[in-house]
Amino acid sequence: MKERLEQGLAALGLEPPAGAVDQLVRYAQLLLEQNKVMNLTAITEPDQVADLHFLDSAGVALCADLAGKRLIDVGTGAGFPGMVLKILVPDLELTLVDSLGKRLDWLSTVCADLGLTGVTIRHARGEELSLDAGFRDQFDFATARAVADLRVLCELCLPYVKPGGRFLAMKALDCEEEVSQAGRAVSVLGGRLLPAFRYHIPGTDVDRRVVLVEKVSPSPKGYPRRWAKMQKAPL
């Protein structure tokens, strides 16, 4: 796996800091070990973990200068893309948010095992935590890898981003219609769509699009709404 990661990161044009690839390999070991007792990933072949989790997540580092910035990964799951970005950009201030405490407990042990610092872990629903003044309009970047409609993801994530920051939504390449439908949501929530960033995941036939949404003004009160409302009546 180490050689595959080194080659893949080089193909992406990324230069990982010293020790980062070894940390990723260890992360993969911990992921696959824990997956035997907890549902963290359906991908269990090590090379596919390297490609479809780690290199996919690493591609996000190509579309933003993350060094010294604050990033919140909403609905982080097994830590993607946030943990990979933290390993590749050690001075990134990372906040991981998820509604499942057991996953976050495991991520906490992973951070300790890898020697990661500057990581805040919060057990909360994404649509509720952004109502907290300590989190609303506070981050340079928000990310989400969740399989959800972009309108819902914008309502969930943009309230965390401060004006001048960006929401980085990981999507499939063929998401033009979804992006078009999200225009109203982006505007209502104080955002502005920028040209999307595209990259190819090395070692695969997968092309990825990161939808870039710049925050131009604070999200209005009343957003985000409850999860059921967001899903039933997206903006």
Side-chain angles (χ1 to χ4, degrees):
M1 176 183 278
K2 182 175 181 179
E3 183 178 358
R4 193 175 188 90
L5 285 169
E6 289 173 338
Q7 293 175 349
L9 291 170
L12 284 170
L14 294 170
E15 296 184 13
V21 174
D22 289 330
Q23 287 179 310
L24 289 173
V25 171
R26 176 59 178 160
Y27 183 11
Q29 293 172 342
L30 295 170
L31 172 70
L32 294 176
E33 179 180 330
Q34 187 67 17
N35 199 59
K36 296 175 182 177
V37 296
M38 181 188 298
N39 183 23
L40 292 171
T41 177
I43 299 170
T44 57
E45 201 281 317
D47 283 349
Q48 289 192 335
V49 170
D51 295 343
L52 300 177
H53 282 322
F54 291 172
L55 295 179
D56 185 19
S57 296
V60 177
L62 298 169
C63 67
D65 180 7
L66 303 178
K69 303 295 177 57
R70 297 188 70 195
L71 181 146
I72 186 166
D73 186 9
V74 183
T76 188
F80 306 121
M83 287 284 285
V84 174
L85 296 174
K86 173 64 178 178
I87 290 169
L88 295 176
V89 187
D91 63 348
L92 174 69
E93 293 184 42
L94 175 65
T95 297
L96 302 174
V97 177
D98 202 87
S99 60
L100 189 60
K102 289 183 179 180
R103 277 198 293 247
L104 295 177
D105 290 342
W106 174 73
L107 284 171
S108 181
T109 66
V110 173
C111 287
D113 189 293
L114 300 182
L116 300 181
T117 59
V119 180
T120 300
I121 295 176
R122 286 297 299 259
H123 179 209
R125 295 188 62 86
E127 70 273 21
E128 296 175 356
L129 187 62
S130 65
L131 301 177
D132 186 317
F135 289 83
R136 194 174 185 88
D137 299 317
Q138 295 299 309
F139 293 87
D140 299 293
F141 299 101
T143 58
R145 196 176 181 234
V147 180
D149 187 280
L150 184 59
R151 293 171 293 178
V152 174
L153 291 177
C154 284
E155 186 169 354
L156 194 63
C157 296
L158 272 176
Y160 288 104
V161 181
K162 65 185 182 182
R166 294 183 179 182
F167 169 40
L168 315 174
M170 299 176 71
K171 284 289 177 181
L173 187 63
D174 57 344
C175 64
E176 287 88 353
E177 183 177 354
E178 188 177 346
V179 173
S180 178
Q181 292 176 345
R184 178 175 180 272
V186 169
S187 178
V188 167
L189 295 162
R192 178 172 69 96
L193 279 168
L194 301 176
F197 180 83
R198 301 180 181 185
Y199 63 93
H200 178 77
I201 303 175
T204 76
D205 58 359
V206 179
D207 291 294
R208 172 70 85 178
R209 176 180 296 194
V210 180
V211 179
L212 305 176
V213 184
E214 183 180 27
K215 188 74 171 288
V216 295
S217 61
S219 298
K221 292 181 179 179
Y223 297 104
R225 299 165 294 165
R226 293 187 180 276
W227 178 251
K229 184 68 172 178
M230 283 191 279
Q231 289 188 308
K232 184 177 179 179
L235 292 172

